[in-house]
Amino acid sequence: MPVSEYDQVKRGWYRRNEIAITPYLFLIPGVFFFAVYVIFPVFQSFNISLYKWDGLGEAEYIGLENYRKLFDDRAFETSLWNNLKWLVLYLLAIPAGLMISLFLNQKITGIRLYKSLFFFPFVISQIVVGLVFSWFYDPTFGLFTKAIALIGLEIKGGVLGNPTAVTYGIIAAGLWPQTAYCMILYLTGLNSVDPEQVEAARLDGAKGWKMLWYVIIPQLKPATFIAFVVTIVGALRSFDLISIMTRGGPFGQSRVLSYYMFEKALSEYGFRMGYGAAIAVVLFMIMLVFIAYFLWSMYQDEKGAH
Amino acid sequence: MHSIMKTSFAAIVAAGITATVAHADAHALSGDLVIFSDMSNPAPRAVMEGMAERFGAMHPDLNIELTIIDREAYKTQIRNFLTADAPDVANWYAANRMLPYVNAGLFEDVSDIWEGDMSTELASTKGAMTIDGKQYGVPYTYYQWGVYYRKDLMEQFGLSEPITWEEEKANCQTYLDNGIKCYTIGTKFLWTAGGWFDYLNMRTNGYDYHAALTNGQAKWDSAETRATFANWRELIDMGAFIDNHQTYSWQEAMPFMVNGEAASYLMGNFSVAAFREGGLDDSKLDFYQFPEITAGIAKGEDAPTDTFHIPSGASNKDNAKAFLKFVVSADNQTLINNGENLGQLPVNALSAVDDDKFLNEGFDMLSNKAPGGIAQFFDRDAPAEMAAVAMEGFQEFMLFPDNLDDILARLDAAAVDIYAE
């Protein structure tokens, strides 16, 4: 029996448009949760930052007053600078991870064991990393304190008790797991390096740094991009280490924006939701710069691929 | 078979009737009672569970649901559960620490519990529970602060408990000359520095100035406050405090005294249990009231009070009020504060203080030797935000005393905002 045109017309609206609609159906759950848990709170934060609100009672609209106060707030300034230090120094995880992955990219007995040992710090919780480093830096019995004493150095108050050294100390602790993360990204990247290109370069006399710079690293570009993204995000999220190692101290010198926001809005003594939201908005703006860059660069890649 | 069932049924009914009769006097409660508590350390936890159990035994028809939350986590969770899912009874702290919740209408006015005898029995803490003439909770325990010291070290160097500031400093100098720090302290969590400020300030300027300063009526950059910091600086310049205190919690600072590297500790009485566990018995551990600084000023003391409240959103307020009355009753106060339980001071004047050296001395000090007044503690008397910035300033001062001008200016600037409401 031939299929008549009449039958086709009778098919339902959904059936007819199935191919066009299905992708959107699959997207709905994701979009819904992203909107409720990400997009909506972003706008809510913007809104709250215009109010004076203790989180309990009535909110009072004060316009941009919270932002004006941020300008006079030295604790905010300190946090901002510390965020900058985190952003710049945390990127050291990328070359460090690359070095280790090059070193581990060999075929010798037990290399898997060495790889897992190097990867270990990324597996353990940030809390544990923070605690381990707190003991390492302890001003009386800490290994680090003893070690620098051997070469005649002393950091007054210990690393975590010294207002100048403290942020660098915490960043160093954060670099430990972050380097491991970058290392694993590069190790997978190195697997896909084209051996023929390496061979060709070798015939042309390239070796050492030149081989690395002109042949290997360009091929690792995707891995570098991901490493850059996760490191930037990691630097801006540096909350748990600060919370566990110093609670922002001594006297607030190791605070970053995320921790300062928590202190002002949500901690034991914090009842300034509006002010906290204003800090969050500033942090969001900083992130937005990177997010825009990431999106743009991914968009360029996609365009290139098509 | 049939008859046995009948008899047992009759027995159950009979038992039920007697039970009802027996408890009718105590106004048997029924329904639910939901309690959220922050008494999560081992001893307080046992006390809280014991209270719920005994209150349950008095009211067998009452279904008590007790949730104990970690003490630190509780401090941030309280906002959520008070607004979203209020229990019938909740722990918190007295004075300004409860102000935000009272202002937001989240704590129930319980002035009726305080009517009559209760006000006389709990007179010592009534002020701390009162905001605008109404009471918003009941206290269950309080404890003294003071200087806990190594008795054996003091005897070894032929010293005695100091009465005046000069003696305090002279004692300290002797310890320092012998290679022992005078005071251990851990300021990582800041409030310990608040204790030092409270005492120095109350001894230098008196209780009333403490009240004025924490209420925002006095300026930070003033002759009085500067005098307090000048006295503090004398100790700092002597090197009286242990090094690197900014990296220790109050517990981490204890070993210095237990090991004899530091001679004393300005602390709350809750530290005694830990000292005893660390091996300091009463021959090695003793206590004295913080010495006089400005002669003639009536001494004020810190004695923080821990409390129970009824959230406004509670669904079983009558049961909750009965529980609050039970908590403050003289017998219960005697029991929960004794040495085997909390090891602190009962708030009910009719309660007995357990026969413990530190509790006796503390009770005597607060009842007879603190004519100036009883303060709650810096971070309970000052509004939360002020306490946070000020205590951070205290820590900075202890590390960099030269920054004082800057710190005071900063605190005054913060105060303008915080007290503006």
Side-chain angles (χ1 to χ4, degrees):
Chain A
M1 208 215 252
V3 179
S4 68
E5 279 180 31
Y6 180 71
D7 278 345
Q8 279 195 347
V9 173
K10 236 183 114 183
R11 281 162 64 194
W13 178 85
Y14 173 71
R15 289 250 156 176
R16 272 180 286 124
N17 299 288
E18 196 171 1
I19 299 204
I21 288 174
T22 312
Y24 294 101
L25 283 180
F26 278 110
L27 275 176
I28 283 176
V31 169
F32 175 76
F33 285 105
F34 189 70
V36 171
Y37 291 107
V38 180
I39 305 291
F40 176 66
V42 167
F43 286 101
Q44 205 177 19
S45 295
F46 273 110
N47 186 37
I48 293 176
S49 74
L50 303 176
Y51 287 84
K52 183 189 179 94
W53 185 40
D54 63 3
L56 301 167
E58 286 293 303
E60 178 198 342
Y61 181 80
I62 53 167
L64 294 174
E65 183 63 17
N66 282 326
Y67 294 94
R68 197 199 56 73
K69 277 185 195 154
L70 281 180
F71 278 100
D72 305 333
D73 187 347
R74 267 192 300 165
F76 172 74
E77 203 181 304
T78 312
S79 314
L80 202 59
W81 276 112
N82 281 341
N83 254 117
L84 202 66
K85 287 181 197 166
W86 271 90
L87 280 174
V88 172
L89 293 176
Y90 220 49
L91 291 176
L92 287 176
I94 297 174
L98 177 63
M99 291 307 140
I100 297 174
S101 66
L102 289 170
F103 171 66
L104 289 178
N105 194 33
Q106 322 182 23
K107 289 195 173 63
I108 53 162
T109 348
I111 192 69
R112 287 187 178 203
L113 176 70
Y114 302 133
K115 281 181 186 172
S116 32
L117 284 178
F118 273 96
F119 190 55
F120 178 69
F122 184 70
V123 180
I124 57 177
S125 150
Q126 292 263 314
I127 307 292
V128 177
V129 173
L131 278 176
V132 167
F133 268 81
S134 305
W135 296 326
F136 181 55
Y137 289 145
D138 186 283
T140 37
F141 59 78
L143 203 59
F144 181 77
T145 317
K146 301 268 187 210
I148 61 166
L150 283 180
I151 53 168
L153 285 175
E154 196 210 336
I155 294 177
K156 200 167 172 285
V159 176
L160 299 182
N162 185 302
T164 331
V166 62
T167 297
Y168 301 106
I170 304 176
I171 294 173
L175 280 175
W176 190 41
Q178 192 63 30
T179 302
Y181 194 8
C182 294
M183 175 203 83
I184 213 80
L185 290 172
Y186 277 121
L187 273 177
T188 17
L190 283 171
N191 278 335
S192 58
V193 166
D194 184 359
E196 281 178 18
Q197 283 192 30
V198 177
E199 193 63 23
R202 200 163 276 155
L203 286 176
D204 286 346
K207 53 184 171 185
W209 287 108
K210 287 211 159 153
M211 171 75 102
L212 178 67
W213 190 251
Y214 293 107
V215 181
I216 308 288
I217 290 187
Q219 293 194 58
L220 289 175
K221 201 183 158 217
T224 308
F225 179 70
I226 298 293
F228 184 64
V229 173
V230 295
T231 306
I232 291 292
V233 172
L236 288 167
R237 290 197 320 182
S238 51
F239 179 89
D240 19 17
L241 280 177
I242 292 167
S243 171
I244 199 76
M245 291 173 81
T246 61
R247 307 208 352 154
F251 51 92
Q253 295 303 302
S254 63
R255 273 195 288 243
V256 294
L257 291 177
S258 54
Y259 194 79
Y260 191 44
M261 171 198 71
F262 164 78
E263 260 191 11
K264 280 287 169 193
L266 303 165
S267 75
E268 185 183 348
Y269 299 114
F271 287 92
R272 295 171 76 176
M273 290 294 168
Y275 198 68
I279 300 168
V281 167
V282 173
L283 183 59
F284 178 73
M285 291 301 180
I286 298 173
M287 286 188 168
L288 207 56
V289 173
F290 291 99
I291 294 171
Y293 165 73
F294 294 149
L295 288 178
W296 177 78
S297 109
M298 276 195 278
Y299 176 69
Q300 294 296 318
D301 271 7
E302 297 259 307
K303 255 197 344 195
H306 283 296
Chain B
M1 184 68 198
H2 192 74
S3 63
I4 294 174
M5 277 197 44
K6 252 189 182 165
T7 3
S8 51
F9 178 65
I12 290 169
V13 171
I17 291 169
T18 22
T20 323
V21 172
H23 289 282
D25 298 335
H27 303 292
L29 301 171
S30 57
D32 296 314
L33 178 65
V34 182
I35 304 174
F36 281 7
S37 172
D38 69 343
M39 299 162 74
S40 60
N41 290 328
R45 187 185 188 103
V47 165
M48 187 64 234
E49 285 166 353
M51 278 199 287
E53 208 171 287
R54 277 179 287 120
F55 191 65
M58 285 163 62
H59 305 281
D61 294 337
L62 187 64
N63 174 30
I64 302 180
E65 235 178 82
L66 171 65
T67 309
I68 294 177
I69 299 164
D70 173 72
R71 198 171 168 92
E72 291 301 318
Y74 189 93
K75 289 171 181 170
T76 47
Q77 284 181 18
I78 184 167
R79 292 181 218 188
N80 297 342
F81 67 66
L82 283 185
T83 44
D85 181 23
D88 300 316
V89 172
N91 277 124
W92 195 235
Y93 310 101
N96 251 333
R97 277 305 279 282
M98 66 176 185
L99 186 65
Y101 303 104
V102 172
N103 282 345
L106 292 171
F107 278 157
E108 181 87 354
D109 171 8
V110 294
S111 303
D112 52 335
I113 299 183
W114 285 79
E115 277 167 17
D117 292 345
M118 212 55 99
S119 276
T120 37
E121 287 174 25
L122 304 175
S124 62
T125 50
K126 189 173 181 183
M129 303 306 304
T130 305
I131 289 173
D132 292 337
K134 291 175 191 154
Q135 288 78 43
Y136 289 92
V138 296
Y140 66 91
T141 187
Y142 72 135
Y143 49 89
Q144 81 272 18
W145 270 64
V147 184
Y148 293 82
Y149 70 95
R150 283 289 296 267
K151 199 176 177 182
D152 50 337
L153 288 178
M154 195 174 262
E155 280 161 7
Q156 187 188 332
F157 300 120
L159 306 171
S160 57
E161 291 188 2
I163 310 291
T164 65
W165 188 233
E166 295 311 318
E167 288 171 20
E168 176 78 34
K169 283 185 290 181
N171 280 3
C172 179
Q173 195 56 53
T174 311
Y175 291 128
L176 290 173
D177 293 343
N178 287 285
I180 296 171
K181 290 287 186 183
C182 312
Y183 315 105
T184 183
I185 183 173
T187 60
K188 184 178 179 187
F189 291 76
L190 305 176
W191 55 267
T192 48
W196 268 96
F197 177 80
D198 268 355
Y199 272 97
L200 289 160
N201 193 35
M202 282 196 284
R203 291 294 183 272
T204 310
N205 303 309
Y207 172 84
D208 293 339
Y209 186 76
H210 164 87
L213 187 66
T214 48
N215 283 330
Q217 289 145 358
K219 272 219 160 303
W220 281 89
D221 195 352
S222 64
E224 287 90 347
T225 318
R226 279 181 181 275
T228 301
F229 281 106
N231 287 327
W232 200 347
R233 177 149 195 177
E234 285 187 70
L235 298 180
I236 295 167
D237 288 347
M238 285 167 80
F241 297 97
I242 58 163
D243 295 329
N244 308 326
H245 53 76
Q246 70 274 32
T247 54
Y248 305 120
S249 68
W250 76 267
Q251 292 101 328
E252 285 166 337
M254 291 191 85
F256 292 96
M257 189 163 139
V258 173
N259 300 335
E261 293 163 43
S264 52
Y265 201 175
L266 178 67
M267 241 313 128
N269 196 57
F270 52 81
S271 60
V272 169
F275 276 128
R276 283 180 177 155
E277 257 171 46
L280 298 183
D281 54 31
D282 286 3
S283 70
K284 287 184 180 157
L285 183 70
D286 208 344
F287 162 86
Y288 65 82
Q289 187 175 16
F290 198 91
E292 176 180 88
I293 296 182
T294 307
I297 279 190
K299 282 181 181 164
E301 289 293 327
D302 269 342
T305 309
D306 291 353
T307 54
F308 279 104
H309 303 265
I310 303 179
S312 312
S315 30
N316 307 293
K317 286 180 185 165
D318 289 336
N319 292 350
K321 280 184 182 171
F323 182 74
L324 259 50
K325 282 183 194 159
F326 162 77
V327 167
V328 290
S329 66
D331 288 346
N332 180 56
Q333 289 283 301
T334 308
L335 179 68
I336 65 170
N337 284 296
N338 73 19
E340 278 157 30
N341 290 305
L342 291 175
Q344 297 183 356
L345 298 170
V347 272
N348 194 313
L350 302 178
S351 304
V353 178
D354 199 35
D355 191 18
D356 170 277
K357 180 168 113 177
F358 296 98
L359 292 182
N360 283 330
E361 277 190 45
F363 189 73
D364 177 49
M365 178 174 85
L366 295 177
S367 321
N368 307 319
K369 295 179 188 163
I374 305 282
Q376 283 301 313
F377 195 73
F378 188 81
D379 71 351
R380 301 188 189 187
D381 287 330
E385 294 165 42
M386 193 68 227
V389 279
M391 295 193 305
E392 199 170 286
F394 300 158
Q395 190 197 39
E396 182 175 350
F397 175 75
M398 287 186 77
L399 296 171
F400 298 96
D402 289 338
N403 295 0
L404 182 63
D405 290 336
D406 188 51
I407 295 168
L408 292 179
R410 204 187 322 150
L411 295 189
D412 271 329
V416 169
D417 251 9
I418 291 166
Y419 294 104
E421 285 117 61

